[in-house]
Amino acid sequence: MGPQIACDVVPAFQTSPGMRDILPPDSARWRRFVDVFAGIVGPAGYGLVIPPLLEDAGVFQRVGEATEVVTKQMYRFTDLGGRDVALRPELTASICRAFAEHRPAVPWKVWCAGPQFRYEKPQRGRLRQFEQVDVEVLGVDDPHVDVEVIALGWRFFQALGLRRVELALNTLGQPDDRRRYVEALRDHFEAHLDALTEEGRQTLTRNPLRVLDSKRSGDADVIAAAPAMTDHLSDAAADHFATVRAGVDALGIPYRIEPRLVRGLDYYLRTTFEYLGGTLDSAQNALGGGGRYDGLVEALGGPATPGVGFAVGVDRTLIACDDEGVFSTPAVGVDVFVVDTTGGAEALVITEELRQAGRSADRAFDGRSMKSQMKAADRSGADVAVIIGPDELAAETAVVRPLRVHGDGTPDQAVVPRAKLVHHLIQHHSLRSPAPLASEDE
Ligand code: AMP
């Protein structure tokens, strides 16, 4: 419809590297992704939180001093008021800041969805602006809440229709266990400095634990020989982990223990976990992950509060969906397209009547020819066209023409009194209803 826009002109601006536009019809899939997530976590008692995209940079600095996400990848700048601010690189710190600020009653079970920003090297499954969905529970120490959270993520992947996701579980122990383990790791890596890459050696000076998180093949052998956290666990941490495992078993969720799983952010202790996609390259195969971060609220100036949660990356999970051929883009389109060759005033009223009656309807503009309007009707995905020409206008009727062939026998074209048009469409045409979930398609 509308005047043709020349496509061979180079636009003055394009999206910045690692950022992109999500256009229709793909955008419908993104929206549905969040809807499916909300449909899993909402009924489990989680409420939506919408934190700002921009925070005081200290919120992230405080929680990730040895984390590349914070030290190297943050979009940090001074605003016009002279404040040191950052676009959020992740959600957990923002949620904990919100908890410390508002002090809601515990347990505080919340979920979130939205973009994060990290100055990464853009590649498949790794962007500078990417979307996450996320849940967090603050104020519960019980290992069963770890299980609840882990299970929500698992059920979400199932609802999308993914079959090749693996759950990897680990524990980083209590803070003292973690400290002892970090020392054991430091001793190990310092004894094998030659076997580490230059980046690995640099990470070692900041935080030996983070060396385990290296995806570089040059570090792989020395990491494989590193001591395991499980050998440094206190009884309390071991008990917590045993209860988590028993709970995950009881829910019938398959998993493997991954003793080197530390996750990219510094604040995790006790339970950590990752959901790994079966089809992606190993450097980008984490679809989501999370764990416990019991000291984080306190680090942000709030009361000592246990916390556990996870984030799932939308971009990467949709790549996994494409690879597995599930969770396809939902059909978008309208129920009815109104073709009006009499100037468009009838189309204006009919589309409005249909929308008021709860049906989706579109029309052409700019007084285009019958042929051009019928093409637009076809492109719109509508099941039925309503056609108003001069004869119909004079006779106060409308032509109703089915556009798609249905297996159950498509009703023939009909001439309907204008006054009964909306009623007729609702009675005689099975207008679109929301598409079922991907898992139900199968
Ligand atoms: P994290 O916040 O680092 O624990 O990441 C959680 C999930 O967010 C990952 O498993 C990815 O699915 C996604 N994610 C993290 N960083 C990126 C990125 N740069 N681009 C796309 N997705 C990302």
Side-chain angles (χ1 to χ4, degrees):
M1 278 187 293
Q4 287 295 307
I5 294 168
C7 294
D8 51 354
V9 181
V10 178
F13 298 104
Q14 295 174 17
T15 47
S16 179
M19 316 251 165
R20 85 246 112 113
D21 301 307
I22 301 159
L23 305 177
D26 279 356
S27 48
R29 193 184 188 205
W30 283 69
R31 209 166 148 188
R32 185 126 175 262
F33 188 98
V34 178
D35 287 348
V36 173
F37 190 74
I40 300 276
V41 298
Y46 291 71
L48 174 66
V49 172
I50 308 175
L53 299 187
L54 194 85
E55 295 268 5
D56 188 319
V59 170
F60 308 111
Q61 191 71 32
R62 190 73 68 89
V63 301
E65 266 158 309
T67 304
E68 276 185 14
V69 164
V70 171
T71 55
K72 289 197 181 157
Q73 299 178 339
M74 212 149 67
Y75 281 83
R76 183 174 184 173
F77 58 97
T78 305
D79 76 5
L80 294 177
R83 288 174 208 89
D84 180 16
V85 292
L87 288 175
R88 67 179 185 214
E90 60 110 44
L91 280 163
T92 307
S94 287
I95 298 282
C96 289
R97 191 269 312 138
F99 181 87
E101 185 172 335
H102 304 288
R103 305 285 171 99
V106 295
W108 201 44
K109 296 185 18 168
V110 296
W111 72 278
C112 249
Q116 321 304 326
F117 302 85
R118 295 180 194 172
Y119 199 81
E120 304 238 31
K121 192 166 160 213
Q123 53 203 289
R124 187 173 188 249
R126 198 172 283 278
L127 293 140
R128 290 182 177 167
Q129 177 177 332
F130 58 95
E131 300 278 324
Q132 285 182 338
V133 290
D134 162 277
V135 295
E136 313 286 353
V137 182
L138 287 162
V140 184
D141 196 56
D142 190 332
H144 282 157
V145 87
D146 307 30
V147 179
E148 173 172 304
V149 161
I150 291 168
L152 287 173
W154 186 257
R155 301 292 170 227
F156 172 58
F157 291 119
Q158 284 191 324
L160 294 178
L162 286 169
R163 294 286 172 269
R164 294 183 57 191
V165 178
E166 283 185 358
L167 171 62
L169 269 187
N170 190 25
T171 177
L172 292 174
Q174 309 276 24
D176 278 349
D177 312 343
R178 188 176 151 144
R179 264 190 291 278
R180 276 199 309 277
Y181 181 50
V182 167
E183 286 322 308
L185 277 180
R186 192 191 310 278
D187 291 347
H188 169 76
F189 289 127
E190 282 180 352
H192 300 91
L193 270 187
D194 292 350
L196 279 177
T197 59
E198 178 53 32
E199 293 99 315
R201 282 197 286 271
Q202 279 178 18
T203 309
L204 179 61
T205 58
R206 288 196 300 273
N207 183 349
L209 204 54
R210 296 299 321 282
V211 179
L212 295 182
D213 204 36
S214 158
K215 307 280 188 196
R216 291 174 291 271
S217 55
D219 294 326
D221 290 346
V222 69
I223 289 176
M229 180 70 226
T230 32
D231 300 332
H232 295 80
L233 282 186
S234 59
D235 289 348
D239 283 353
H240 186 97
F241 195 45
T243 310
V244 171
R245 290 178 59 172
V248 178
D249 284 335
L251 298 186
I253 298 173
Y255 63 90
R256 63 183 157 80
I257 300 294
E258 184 56 74
R260 317 251 183 272
L261 177 68
V262 294
R263 309 273 308 119
L265 295 149
D266 286 341
Y267 45 66
Y268 288 109
L269 45 88
R270 298 204 273 180
T271 315
T272 55
F273 55 94
E274 252 174 17
Y275 304 100
L276 304 164
T279 59
L280 289 94
D281 291 349
S282 64
Q284 265 85 240
N285 68 345
L287 305 182
R292 278 214 165 253
Y293 47 82
D294 297 341
L296 194 52
V297 173
E298 212 174 350
L300 291 166
T305 309
V308 57
F310 70 77
V312 166
V314 183
D315 308 76
R316 237 179 252 181
T317 305
L318 287 180
I319 293 174
C321 288
D322 288 339
D323 291 347
E324 289 201 36
V326 297
F327 195 66
S328 48
T329 303
V332 284
V334 289
D335 295 327
V336 182
F337 195 94
V338 183
V339 171
D340 176 359
T341 59
T342 68
E346 275 298 287
L348 184 71
V349 176
I350 294 170
T351 48
E352 178 67 13
E353 285 175 4
L354 281 163
R355 292 169 191 166
Q356 294 275 357
R359 305 301 174 163
S360 57
D362 200 2
R363 54 162 296 188
F365 292 97
D366 289 337
R368 307 195 66 83
S369 69
M370 171 81 170
K371 193 172 159 204
S372 152
Q373 291 195 45
M374 285 309 296
K375 264 195 192 160
D378 212 43
R379 268 201 309 270
S380 75
D383 274 341
V384 59
V386 166
I387 303 166
I388 309 280
D391 293 348
E392 287 75 27
L393 192 63
E396 295 186 10
T397 59
V399 172
V400 174
R401 181 184 296 175
L403 295 174
R404 322 235 161 257
V405 178
H406 291 287
D408 54 351
T410 303
D412 291 334
Q413 174 167 311
V415 178
V416 179
R418 172 67 187 81
K420 296 200 169 136
L421 176 62
V422 172
H423 181 74
H424 171 92
L425 287 167
I426 291 170
Q427 289 289 303
H428 297 274
H429 295 271
S430 51
L431 300 180
R432 209 181 299 271
S433 55
L437 285 183
S439 55
E440 295 164 5
D441 293 345
E442 291 179 2

